Amino acid sequence: ACVRSNSNRAAISHLHRQLYGRLYPVLLVNTDGSTVRVRYSEPKRILMLPLDSSTLPEAERKARLRRHFPSKPKAKEEETFEGIDLDTYKQFWKK
């Protein structure tokens, strides 16, 4: 069984690789806002590092949690028809 291991093999089907064959330039954004150009295995534009919440002050941590998990909307009170005078709308009723 002869196996062709040359450049023509890729033209017949896709390459059977788990990783990309080269490294791509990517912009890495640190938690403090600074940026660095790095070489990454996947073609992406920007990578952002996650923010460590244990290093934040308590007020900032609570503010971030409130933004991520907003409070539930308050239930509105239902309107009652007890205080409405129905004679003022008598002209709109069908007879």
Side-chain angles (χ1 to χ4, degrees):
C2 180
V3 177
R4 288 192 176 190
S5 298
N6 58 15
S7 63
N8 295 334
R9 182 177 175 270
I12 298 171
S13 68
H14 68 280
L15 293 177
H16 302 283
R17 292 184 188 168
Q18 294 294 327
L19 299 174
Y20 287 95
R22 59 176 283 221
L23 297 176
Y24 298 90
V26 175
L27 189 68
L28 177 69
V29 180
N30 292 324
T31 56
D32 61 352
S34 61
T35 59
V36 179
R37 286 249 177 221
V38 295
R39 300 192 59 76
Y40 193 65
S41 60
E42 294 181 16
K44 295 187 176 192
R45 290 187 182 220
I46 295 177
L47 283 177
M48 294 182 68
L49 293 177
L51 182 67
D52 187 15
S53 62
S54 63
T55 60
L56 293 175
E58 189 67 28
E60 177 103 19
R61 185 179 315 139
K62 287 183 179 180
R64 282 185 170 271
L65 284 174
R66 277 196 301 271
R67 275 185 283 175
H68 282 290
F69 304 107
S71 61
K72 295 180 181 177
K74 296 180 181 177
K76 296 181 180 178
E77 295 182 13
E78 293 185 18
E79 295 181 15
T80 58
F81 298 106
E82 296 172 1
I84 298 175
D85 184 23
L86 295 177
D87 290 332
T88 57
Y89 300 102
K90 193 181 217 181
Q91 59 190 358
F92 299 115
W93 296 343
K94 290 185 177 179
K95 291 185 182 182

